Amino acid sequence: MNARNYLKFTFVKVSPEWRRRSTEERAQDKLEFAAACREFGEDHFLRTYSLVGTRGDCDLALRAMAPSLDPIHELHVLLNQTGLMRWADISHSYSR
């Protein structure tokens, strides 16, 4: 039987105002974001890529893959609850 996987590419643009926050606040925001990624990555495929300096419209790319869309949706719910995403927008999102 051929198992189907769903793939989602998400591109994130961080607001310049986020970089003006204190070092401690930014560190906490990144820890929360990394924890959400780590939780998803325990059971599913996830890769993150820094695009800083390579693209003007986004700073970070995420590639998530799972056998159904539910875990990917749950990942994005968790990510949106992190401090980093309070200061960011999704510039592009592609599913396959």
Side-chain angles (χ1 to χ4, degrees), residues 24-38 82:
E24 295 80 18
E25 290 172 318
R26 286 180 300 165
Q28 180 62 36
D29 293 345
K30 290 187 276 186
L31 284 173
E32 292 171 6
F33 191 90
C37 290
R38 192 170 26 261
T82 67

Side-chain angles (χ1 to χ4, degrees), residues 18-87:
W18 179 78
R19 291 174 179 83
R20 295 185 193 113
R21 289 169 48 92
S22 72
T23 302
E24 295 80 18
E25 290 172 318
R26 286 180 300 165
Q28 180 62 36
D29 293 345
K30 290 187 276 186
L31 284 173
E32 292 171 6
F33 191 90
C37 290
R38 192 170 26 261
E39 183 177 323
F40 179 85
E42 288 175 359
D43 298 320
H44 305 93
F45 179 86
L46 179 71
R47 294 293 182 266
T48 59
Y49 307 91
S50 172
L51 300 174
V52 174
T54 62
R55 294 186 59 112
D57 59 345
C58 49
D59 299 306
L60 180 68
L62 290 96
R63 181 171 49 139
M65 188 167 44
S68 74
L69 288 174
D70 290 337
I72 295 172
H73 174 74
E74 291 168 11
L75 166 65
H76 286 289
V77 168
L78 287 176
L79 291 175
N80 285 330
Q81 294 172 359
T82 67
L84 182 64
M85 288 305 291
R86 288 186 202 110
W87 297 88

